[in-house]
Amino acid sequence: MKVGVLQFYPKFKNKELNYKIIKDYLKDVRNALIVLPELANTGYLFLDKSEIKELAEEIPTGEFSNLLIEIAKKNNLVLVSGLIEVEGNNFYNSAIIVGPYGYIGKYRKINLFYKEKLIFEAGNKLEVFDIVFKDDKNKEYLVKLGVMICFDWYFPEISRNLMLKGANIIAHPSNLVLPYCPLAMPIRALENKLYTITANRIGKEENQGESLSFIGQSVICSPKAEYLLKLDNKQEGVFLVDIDLNINKNITKLNNLEQDLKSLYEKLNSMKN
Ligand code: ACM
């Protein structure tokens, strides 16, 4: 199955321009699962709730949700993208998942990074989405899609939990600023025997004297800890690789990851201290 990332430079607070950039990049992409960065349509460095009020939307009825649904239907894509979600008085750093048949689901970032804590509520739900995807040759793939957002990578419990829920791919919209994540992702993929797709952004943002530089380096990693894709901090566009979703959960003939984990958790739970 074809999977990929859209790595680009979102323009801060400029939704219209970002819609245009995203539409242009996805115009000729078909029959694939594509991950976009965290907060892909708005940029990232917000410091106050008043700044995001106008930029947030309800999922799946908002304008960016609708744009992604339209592109996914037209081009036979599964798309996962970050955006600011509003529900009532609360804002979430969320990801929307859409496919050729429309809206699939959403994920709200659990581990908020730095000043995100001042504006977003943390999510409290991890889900794996079962998606039957057919390519242009009518070949069918069962994608069991887990989603985490950026800083969630730092907490191995998130990817482990998604694996225990059956994920064979983790989509990982990101706005990375620290250098470590691209080094860690092959291990997240290996220790959970699944594929990871980290879509990061590039560029720099400034707001009220604060500034952040984003490291690019989007990576797609295999269950064998290989980099199937590793970009630099300047490349922009859609980058695709082919993956084989028939993943064997055996580590050796006598070690099955799921069974060994089950007995490990039983043991840990039975220990008094
Ligand atoms: C991050 O979680 N955006 C670093």
Side-chain angles (χ1 to χ4, degrees), residues 68-83:
L68 294 172
I69 290 168
E70 189 188 308
I71 298 170
K73 283 184 178 170
K74 191 161 163 231
N75 289 7
N76 193 38
L77 296 172
V78 174
L79 296 172
V80 182
S81 178
L83 75 172

Side-chain angles (χ1 to χ4, degrees), residues 209-222:
E210 293 232 15
S211 83
L212 285 178
S213 292
F214 301 93
I215 66 163
Q217 299 178 56
S218 295
V219 289
I220 300 181
C221 302
S222 81

Side-chain angles (χ1 to χ4, degrees), residues 81-244:
S81 178
L83 75 172
I84 304 170
E85 180 193 0
V86 61
E87 188 184 68
N89 293 321
N90 291 331
F91 298 102
Y92 300 91
N93 182 336
S94 293
I96 182 171
I97 304 101
V98 304
Y101 303 104
Y103 175 66
I104 294 170
K106 67 182 173 184
Y107 164 70
R108 292 170 169 169
K109 186 176 185 178
I110 291 175
N111 294 288
L112 299 174
F113 181 74
Y114 191 47
K115 293 195 174 173
E116 289 173 34
K117 291 193 178 205
L118 307 178
I119 52 178
F120 295 119
E121 303 300 313
N124 58 12
K125 192 171 173 190
L126 273 174
E127 227 177 319
V128 168
F129 303 94
D130 285 350
I131 304 167
V132 178
F133 181 74
K134 279 190 194 166
D135 69 13
D136 47 334
K137 297 182 184 70
N138 228 22
K139 184 162 181 211
E140 207 170 86
Y141 303 89
L142 177 57
V143 179
K144 295 176 87 63
L145 186 70
V147 180
M148 62 182 191
I149 299 178
C150 204
F151 192 48
D152 281 330
W153 77 267
Y154 206 97
F155 304 86
E157 293 80 2
I158 298 284
S159 46
R160 176 49 50 89
N161 204 277
L162 292 170
M163 173 262 170
L164 290 169
K165 289 181 158 69
N168 54 12
I169 298 178
I170 293 180
H172 182 209
S174 295
N175 275 189
L176 297 161
V177 289
L178 302 176
Y180 316 111
C181 176
L183 298 169
M185 291 316 291
I187 305 307
R188 294 288 168 278
L190 173 77
E191 69 198 359
N192 294 303
K193 279 193 156 275
L194 42 68
Y195 293 90
T196 61
I197 306 173
T198 300
N200 195 27
R201 60 163 291 173
I202 63 167
K204 190 174 173 183
E205 281 181 7
E206 291 174 345
N207 191 7
Q208 300 169 49
E210 293 232 15
S211 83
L212 285 178
S213 292
F214 301 93
I215 66 163
Q217 299 178 56
S218 295
V219 289
I220 300 181
C221 302
S222 81
K224 293 180 182 165
E226 302 151 313
Y227 289 112
L228 303 179
L229 178 81
K230 191 166 193 284
L231 302 182
D232 65 24
N233 64 353
K234 299 205 170 50
Q235 285 169 284
E236 290 191 65
V238 174
F239 297 83
L240 295 163
V241 300
D242 246 310
I243 61 169
D244 178 359

Side-chain angles (χ1 to χ4, degrees), residues 251-267:
I251 302 167
T252 72
K253 282 186 186 154
L254 300 180
N255 296 96
N256 175 276
L257 179 60
E258 281 160 343
Q259 284 162 14
D260 283 5
L261 268 177
K262 195 164 166 265
S263 55
L264 172 62
Y265 284 131
E266 276 165 13
K267 205 170 283 175

